[in-house]
Amino acid sequence: MTTPTELPEHREEAATGRRSWLRDHSELGVCALLLALGVLVLTDALTMDVDITQRGPVGPKTVPVVVGIGLLVIAALLAVDVLRGGRGEAEGGEDIDLSEPADWRTVLLLSGIFLGAAALIEPAGFPVAGALLFWGAAFALGSRRVDRDPLIAAVLSLITYVVFDKLLGVPLPGGPLMGVL
């Protein structure tokens, strides 16, 4: 004799019920991500080599340990809230149509532009790579003003380079154009 759960229609109902439960508790994925990130941060912080001559109560491990513990606490509190029936609010922006699918073309364009700029930073320098990044991002997001976008991108990139490299002291590769400028 077969039990009701062995019948094909009952297996489909059970699978549908599991999918429905997972869909209703999808925020648990965020909890898992926060938990993994907290464990990673704590593991790195607790295995950090610290100089014996360090003095005082606050050392280089303090902030990462606090952040790791905070991530674990937030993951646990969020999991409890989700399991008790709490749900995140749906996006309420007036310019977002939640019924439309994601625009994967734009996502892929932006990803390619970002990776291209990252590959160009060392050989071409930050000003060139940054200008291409800003211009490419503007293009991927819909701007088609070829008369002004490259100029704005070049100005933004140079300003960013000067602020970080010269004013803040964060060294950025200048590339071959820095000898000319």
Side-chain angles (χ1 to χ4, degrees), residues 19-30 79 81-87:
R19 275 190 234 120
S20 175
W21 188 89
L22 287 173
R23 190 173 296 121
D24 289 343
H25 296 89
S26 61
E27 290 94 346
L28 290 175
V30 175
D81 182 52
V82 169
L83 293 174
R84 286 185 175 173
R87 299 229 0 123

Side-chain angles (χ1 to χ4, degrees), residues 11-157:
R11 274 189 240 134
E12 285 181 25
E13 289 175 14
T16 305
R18 276 192 300 262
R19 275 190 234 120
S20 175
W21 188 89
L22 287 173
R23 190 173 296 121
D24 289 343
H25 296 89
S26 61
E27 290 94 346
L28 290 175
V30 175
C31 299
L33 179 68
L34 290 172
L35 178 72
L37 193 58
V39 168
L40 177 70
V41 169
L42 277 176
T43 302
D44 273 353
L46 296 175
T47 59
M48 184 186 308
D49 287 332
V50 178
D51 191 10
I52 292 177
T53 61
Q54 172 201 337
R55 295 195 180 146
V58 178
K61 289 184 177 185
T62 305
V63 171
V65 167
V66 168
V67 168
I69 291 171
L71 285 167
L72 294 178
V73 168
I74 289 172
L77 292 174
L78 181 59
V80 167
D81 182 52
V82 169
L83 293 174
R84 286 185 175 173
R87 299 229 0 123
E89 257 186 60
E91 182 68 43
E94 69 273 358
D95 60 345
I96 297 173
D97 186 5
L98 296 176
S99 65
E100 290 292 319
D103 184 5
W104 289 108
R105 178 185 176 273
T106 302
V107 171
L108 292 174
L109 267 172
L110 284 171
S111 299
I113 291 163
F114 180 76
L115 292 173
L120 284 175
I121 280 183
E122 201 56 45
F126 182 84
V128 171
L132 290 174
L133 175 68
F134 292 138
W135 188 15
F139 180 82
L141 294 173
S143 178
R144 299 295 185 259
R145 297 283 310 261
V146 293
D147 57 334
R148 82 168 178 205
D149 288 348
L151 179 63
I152 292 172
V155 168
L156 278 174
S157 184

